[in-house]
Amino acid sequence: MLRVLQTARLSTRCSSSFVSRMRFLNGLKQNDDVCSVALQDARMFLFHRLSPLLQRNPQGTFRTAELRTSDVQSLLENIGSDRTLLQESVLIGCTGQNQAQFCLDIGSLDQAAAEKVCGGTFVDLRKSFFLLSRREAPLVAKAQALLRWHQTSGFCSATGQPTHRNQAGSQRTCSSSGIIYYPKMSPVVIVLVSDGKRCLLGRQASFPRGMYSALAGFCDMGETLEETLIREVAEEVGLEVQSFSFSSSQHWPFPQSSFMMACHASVSPAHSQLCVDHSELEDARWFSQQEVLAALQSPPSHRGDPPALWLPPKHAVAHRLITEWTQETGGVVE
Ligand SMILES: NC(=O)C1=CN([C@@H]2O[C@H](COP(=O)(O)OP(=O)(O)OC[C@H]3O[C@@H](n4cnc5c(N)ncnc54)[C@H](O)[C@@H]3O)[C@@H](O)[C@H]2O)C=CC1
Ligand SMILES: [Mg+2]
């Protein structure tokens, strides 16, 4: 069987290593046997009821605990579970050397025992986002979103019959109708509105005290990105967008895997009077470049009262939009 995996790796050989990695990954999703073999010699990311396993570096910072399959197999034996749990692993990517990466939720096992054996701690995903590097957070978010999708997609919404996954965990199929389900993200437009001098930030009651962010809204069925953007700004703060430009995108795992399409938009300074829909937003305000730069340069300490303006964490695409705006308007973010 190992020859099967080597063949899969060789068959993806081509000039670009990135292309060969993408083809190797695609092959694992298409072929259960090859995927099973790849799982035997993979890099594993563990979760416990959707909280990722983190380990502390000697410097006191945190990283995701990346284990070998053999480590996980001995962990499972060590804390009394059988090896079949390994089959519940879900493919999330591969390393530069075409070694498959899988995630596995061991929520059915004793958390403290698993933490002791692995020398790590399972940390709530939202908290992990503040602890992990910008490089690691997206893979952990993807893994958690896939594990959660499997945990909530066990039955076909058309027939009510059980669904079964493929080895990679990239799809589930209804056992009676054959309907195939794929993991879903909900498209969301997130937009930083400016009137040329100020930027508009809003907050929901659910946000931490003092935190303001860019406006965001889910795309309604059939809407284009443009239509969602101008509708959401009109709905939430009563303004008419004059123009907008696309900035970047991001998978955001909260609350149920949103696909964030981040844009900058402008409104006429002559028509910048806010009319906030308080059923959606607790507050929305225009902020000067000076206020935003101050907030970017002095993120809140987690002690004492929050500052007047607290911005989303660096991993959030809203933070990127706000930083881009300050740079476009001549501010310098250190
Ligand atoms: N990454 C970032 O920087 C930020 C991300 N967000 C995310 O953007 C998303 C949308 O933000 P909101 O202002 O809450 O959206 P929104 O302005 O559309 O209002 C939320 C309402 O949309 C409806 N809704 C909820 N889930 C939906 C879905 N899957 N499809 C269609 N409609 C749905 C519900 O009625 C809900 O009350 C959320 O996932 C939020 O976590 C929000 C701000 C910053
Ligand atoms: Mg919104």
Side-chain angles (χ1 to χ4, degrees):
M1 282 307 261
L2 215 46
R3 207 159 20 83
V4 167
L5 184 61
Q6 260 126 20
T7 316
R9 282 182 173 138
L10 282 172
S11 68
T12 64
R13 276 274 177 270
C14 62
S15 56
S16 144
S17 66
F18 175 75
V19 170
S20 90
R21 276 173 59 206
M22 294 305 108
R23 288 186 177 164
F24 172 62
L25 266 179
N26 192 42
L28 298 184
K29 292 176 193 170
Q30 308 301 330
N31 184 317
D32 283 357
D33 293 338
V34 175
C35 191
S36 284
V37 175
L39 176 58
Q40 298 313 313
D41 172 31
R43 310 304 294 174
M44 299 293 298
F45 296 81
L46 288 186
F47 287 71
H48 193 278
R49 297 196 187 133
L50 299 180
S51 292
L53 179 68
L54 305 188
Q55 287 170 335
R56 198 186 272 267
N57 292 316
Q59 309 77 0
T61 54
F62 284 85
R63 67 178 186 282
T64 44
E66 196 174 330
L67 308 173
R68 291 167 310 180
T69 305
S70 53
D71 300 331
V72 175
Q73 284 166 330
S74 29
L75 164 73
L76 295 180
E77 281 158 16
N78 203 319
I79 55 177
S81 163
D82 62 26
R83 289 187 165 207
T84 54
L85 184 60
L86 190 70
Q87 292 310 311
E88 297 303 307
S89 301
V90 175
L91 179 68
I92 53 174
C94 76
T95 66
Q97 295 68 40
N98 277 13
Q99 186 174 19
Q101 296 168 312
F102 287 83
C103 59
L104 176 63
D105 196 317
I106 57 169
S108 56
L109 305 182
D110 180 77
Q111 177 174 344
E115 288 175 340
K116 193 161 170 239
V117 172
C118 299
T121 316
F122 292 100
V123 179
D124 170 76
L125 184 69
R126 276 185 192 276
K127 202 170 159 210
S128 305
F129 258 38
F130 286 92
L131 300 173
L132 289 173
S133 69
R134 219 183 288 199
R135 187 183 59 80
E136 288 200 301
L139 190 66
V140 173
K142 174 180 179 179
Q144 195 247 28
L146 279 168
L147 290 168
R148 188 185 54 238
W149 177 74
H150 281 288
Q151 293 172 12
T152 54
S153 307
F155 294 91
C156 173
S157 50
T159 66
Q161 295 304 308
T163 58
H164 300 295
R165 49 168 282 181
N166 63 344
Q167 183 59 53
S170 55
Q171 64 183 60
R172 295 187 74 93
T173 307
C174 172
S175 49
S176 77
S177 65
I179 297 172
I180 300 179
Y181 291 90
Y182 297 96
K184 286 270 175 303
M185 295 189 288
S186 296
V188 171
V189 173
I190 180 164
V191 52
L192 190 65
V193 179
S194 168
D195 68 353
K197 284 212 180 89
R198 302 169 298 173
C199 77
L200 176 60
L201 297 171
R203 56 171 281 102
Q204 294 178 7
S206 60
F207 285 15
R209 213 154 44 97
M211 180 181 278
Y212 282 75
S213 184
L215 304 184
F218 289 98
C219 299
D220 286 345
M221 182 59 81
E223 261 186 339
T224 62
L225 178 155
E226 299 82 344
E227 288 163 338
T228 304
L229 187 150
I230 54 180
R231 173 181 57 76
E232 279 292 336
V233 173
E235 265 181 19
E236 297 198 348
V237 293
L239 295 182
E240 287 197 31
V241 164
Q242 269 186 331
S243 66
F244 59 85
S245 59
F246 177 75
S247 159
S248 59
S249 61
Q250 172 184 55
H251 165 234
W252 186 247
F254 312 111
Q256 303 277 341
S257 272
S258 300
F259 176 60
M260 310 299 297
M261 294 173 282
C263 299
H264 290 281
S266 59
V267 296
S268 151
H271 301 96
S272 57
Q273 175 65 34
L274 298 182
C275 172
V276 181
D277 174 358
H278 289 293
S279 69
E280 287 240 27
L281 293 178
E282 185 183 74
D283 187 26
R285 271 189 248 164
W286 288 109
F287 289 90
S288 69
Q289 188 206 67
Q290 201 184 354
E291 289 172 299
V292 171
L293 278 173
L296 285 171
Q297 278 151 5
S298 50
S301 65
H302 291 283
R303 288 178 295 281
D305 276 343
L309 173 58
W310 179 9
L311 298 174
K314 283 202 165 74
H315 302 319
V317 73
H319 191 279
R320 176 173 174 164
L321 281 174
I322 294 165
T323 307
E324 284 173 349
W325 175 77
T326 54
Q327 286 158 354
E328 274 151 25
T329 48
V332 177
V333 180
E334 274 131 33

